Amino acid sequence: MLLKVQNLRIVYKNSAIIEEINFDVEKGEIFSIVGESGSGKTLTGLSILNLLPDYFKVDGRIIFKNNDILSLDSSWIRKIRGKDISCIFQDPMVSLNPVLKVGYQVAEMFIYHHNLSKKEAIKNAEKIFNELKISHVINYYPHQLSGGLRQRVMIAMAIACEPELIIADEPTTALDVTVQEEILDLLYLLIKKKGKAMILITHDINILGEYADRLMVMYAGRIMEMGSVEEIFKNPLHPYTRALLDCIPREGKKIEGIPGNVPDLKKLPSGCVFSPRCKYKMRECPIEPPSLREVIPGHFVRCYLH
Ligand code: SF4
């Protein structure tokens, strides 16, 4: 097991905004966290890197290669980030330094994490740019690149030190559909070819069929359903998962959308958090929260219907 998240709970201003998060990620696996904006998926991803600001109280255990990330001191975490676990965010402009050439920014990863000389580090950066077929932009500044190329540079930075785990948070949301596919294909091939693992965080369940192995559906900071992509796409059990899948555009089918809004994580509805939007709501649903149950081996769901 590469990563094991146990009983993750995040408290903000005395409210448990994330609760009962348990999952693991195997080597070579693409594990996806899916849900609408405000479902808590990004907070979950950031907590794995211990990147949440101090005003969030994080409890539980995040075991990565036998170390509990939540109990490591900040100097250890800095060593792990980029070298063992790296991230790709939605907007590369936030992560790239606007005054440094992109090739040098990738080279810096080798200088910082592997103590290489500048010359050796640049040579390594060149190899990665070649592999990603972007060697022509190695001496460009971020503002000279298109969104797709900037995201490729982020991928170059993320894979530079061959980390065991990449956390990709909405890596293609800002890109058009063709570039989106190219970037996801690239990430998929890199992860599978090198035997690494990825947590792919997305609001778009549509993209997961081809790329993810397992998925965890989050709503209001809780797991609604979790299992293999194949099983969940074939047999979605939770009304929220079904609603997300119904939003996938298909020829001749009208997209319904999910009525209502994601609740404020600090003011959650009582009982089942999805009950105000659920068309299958029963009398007991808003009274007592259902627990997450394994209904088929490896397939978990939090709903009284199951
Ligand atoms: Fe809907 Fe009830 Fe299931 Fe919640 S527990 S998802 S309200 S049927």
Short mmCIF file of all heavy atoms in Angstrom, two decimals, residues 238-239 272 274-275 278 280-282 285 290 302-305, ligand 1:
data_model
loop_
_atom_site.label_atom_id
_atom_site.label_comp_id
_atom_site.label_asym_id
_atom_site.label_seq_id
_atom_site.Cartn_x
_atom_site.Cartn_y
_atom_site.Cartn_z
N HIS A 238 -25.51 5.05 -5.23
CA HIS A 238 -25.94 6.25 -4.49
C HIS A 238 -26.67 7.21 -5.44
O HIS A 238 -26.23 7.45 -6.56
CB HIS A 238 -24.73 6.95 -3.88
CG HIS A 238 -25.11 7.91 -2.81
ND1 HIS A 238 -25.64 9.15 -3.07
CD2 HIS A 238 -25.08 7.79 -1.46
CE1 HIS A 238 -25.90 9.76 -1.93
NE2 HIS A 238 -25.57 8.96 -0.94
N PRO A 239 -27.81 7.78 -4.98
CA PRO A 239 -28.54 8.72 -5.85
C PRO A 239 -27.66 9.88 -6.34
O PRO A 239 -27.86 10.36 -7.45
CB PRO A 239 -29.66 9.24 -4.94
CG PRO A 239 -29.90 8.12 -3.97
CD PRO A 239 -28.54 7.51 -3.73
N CYS A 272 -29.05 12.45 6.49
CA CYS A 272 -28.28 12.31 5.24
C CYS A 272 -28.04 13.69 4.63
O CYS A 272 -29.00 14.41 4.34
CB CYS A 272 -29.04 11.41 4.26
SG CYS A 272 -28.30 11.46 2.62
N PHE A 274 -27.29 14.54 1.78
CA PHE A 274 -27.79 14.71 0.42
C PHE A 274 -29.32 14.80 0.39
O PHE A 274 -29.92 15.08 -0.65
CB PHE A 274 -27.30 13.54 -0.47
CG PHE A 274 -27.61 13.72 -1.93
CD1 PHE A 274 -27.10 14.81 -2.64
CD2 PHE A 274 -28.40 12.81 -2.61
CE1 PHE A 274 -27.39 15.00 -3.99
CE2 PHE A 274 -28.69 12.99 -3.98
CZ PHE A 274 -28.19 14.09 -4.65
N SER A 275 -29.97 14.60 1.54
CA SER A 275 -31.44 14.47 1.55
C SER A 275 -32.18 15.68 0.95
O SER A 275 -33.18 15.47 0.25
CB SER A 275 -31.96 14.15 2.96
OG SER A 275 -31.58 15.16 3.86
N CYS A 278 -32.34 14.91 -2.76
CA CYS A 278 -32.49 13.52 -3.19
C CYS A 278 -33.94 13.20 -3.57
O CYS A 278 -34.86 13.40 -2.77
CB CYS A 278 -32.04 12.59 -2.06
SG CYS A 278 -32.16 10.87 -2.52
N TYR A 280 -35.10 10.29 -3.91
CA TYR A 280 -35.52 9.03 -3.29
C TYR A 280 -35.65 9.17 -1.77
O TYR A 280 -35.76 8.18 -1.06
CB TYR A 280 -34.50 7.92 -3.59
CG TYR A 280 -34.26 7.72 -5.06
CD1 TYR A 280 -33.15 8.28 -5.69
CD2 TYR A 280 -35.15 6.97 -5.82
CE1 TYR A 280 -32.94 8.11 -7.04
CE2 TYR A 280 -34.94 6.79 -7.18
CZ TYR A 280 -33.83 7.36 -7.79
OH TYR A 280 -33.61 7.20 -9.12
N LYS A 281 -35.63 10.41 -1.28
CA LYS A 281 -35.63 10.65 0.17
C LYS A 281 -36.79 9.91 0.86
O LYS A 281 -37.92 9.94 0.40
CB LYS A 281 -35.75 12.15 0.40
CG LYS A 281 -35.75 12.55 1.85
CD LYS A 281 -35.51 14.02 2.01
CE LYS A 281 -36.75 14.84 1.79
NZ LYS A 281 -36.51 16.27 2.00
N MET A 282 -36.45 9.27 2.00
CA MET A 282 -37.48 8.57 2.78
C MET A 282 -37.61 9.28 4.14
O MET A 282 -36.82 10.16 4.46
CB MET A 282 -37.06 7.12 2.99
CG MET A 282 -36.92 6.36 1.69
SD MET A 282 -36.19 4.73 1.88
CE MET A 282 -34.49 5.10 2.15
N CYS A 285 -34.50 9.52 6.34
CA CYS A 285 -33.26 10.09 5.78
C CYS A 285 -32.80 11.38 6.47
O CYS A 285 -31.62 11.51 6.79
CB CYS A 285 -33.39 10.31 4.27
SG CYS A 285 -33.65 8.77 3.38
N PRO A 290 -26.89 8.10 7.44
CA PRO A 290 -26.55 6.71 7.12
C PRO A 290 -25.03 6.50 7.23
O PRO A 290 -24.27 7.45 7.10
CB PRO A 290 -27.02 6.53 5.67
CG PRO A 290 -27.08 7.91 5.11
CD PRO A 290 -27.29 8.86 6.24
N ARG A 302 -23.08 5.04 1.02
CA ARG A 302 -23.69 5.63 2.23
C ARG A 302 -25.12 6.06 1.88
O ARG A 302 -25.36 7.18 1.42
CB ARG A 302 -22.86 6.86 2.65
CG ARG A 302 -23.28 7.50 3.98
CD ARG A 302 -22.59 8.83 4.17
NE ARG A 302 -21.16 8.72 4.28
CZ ARG A 302 -20.51 8.39 5.38
NH1 ARG A 302 -21.16 8.17 6.49
NH2 ARG A 302 -19.19 8.30 5.37
N CYS A 303 -26.06 5.13 2.02
CA CYS A 303 -27.44 5.45 1.65
C CYS A 303 -28.37 4.39 2.22
O CYS A 303 -28.05 3.20 2.17
CB CYS A 303 -27.56 5.49 0.13
SG CYS A 303 -29.25 5.70 -0.44
N TYR A 304 -29.53 4.82 2.75
CA TYR A 304 -30.49 3.86 3.32
C TYR A 304 -31.11 2.94 2.27
O TYR A 304 -31.71 1.93 2.62
CB TYR A 304 -31.60 4.61 4.07
CG TYR A 304 -31.13 5.17 5.38
CD1 TYR A 304 -31.28 6.52 5.69
CD2 TYR A 304 -30.53 4.34 6.33
CE1 TYR A 304 -30.84 7.03 6.89
CE2 TYR A 304 -30.08 4.85 7.54
CZ TYR A 304 -30.24 6.18 7.81
OH TYR A 304 -29.80 6.67 9.00
N LEU A 305 -31.01 3.31 1.02
CA LEU A 305 -31.57 2.42 -0.02
C LEU A 305 -30.78 1.12 -0.11
O LEU A 305 -31.26 0.14 -0.67
CB LEU A 305 -31.52 3.10 -1.40
CG LEU A 305 -32.41 4.32 -1.62
CD1 LEU A 305 -32.09 4.96 -2.96
CD2 LEU A 305 -33.88 3.91 -1.58
FE1 SF4 B 1 -31.42 9.79 -0.61
FE2 SF4 B 1 -32.06 8.80 1.76
FE3 SF4 B 1 -30.12 7.69 0.35
FE4 SF4 B 1 -29.77 10.07 1.46
S1 SF4 B 1 -30.08 8.13 2.53
S2 SF4 B 1 -29.20 9.49 -0.58
S3 SF4 B 1 -31.81 10.95 1.23
S4 SF4 B 1 -32.28 7.78 -0.18
#
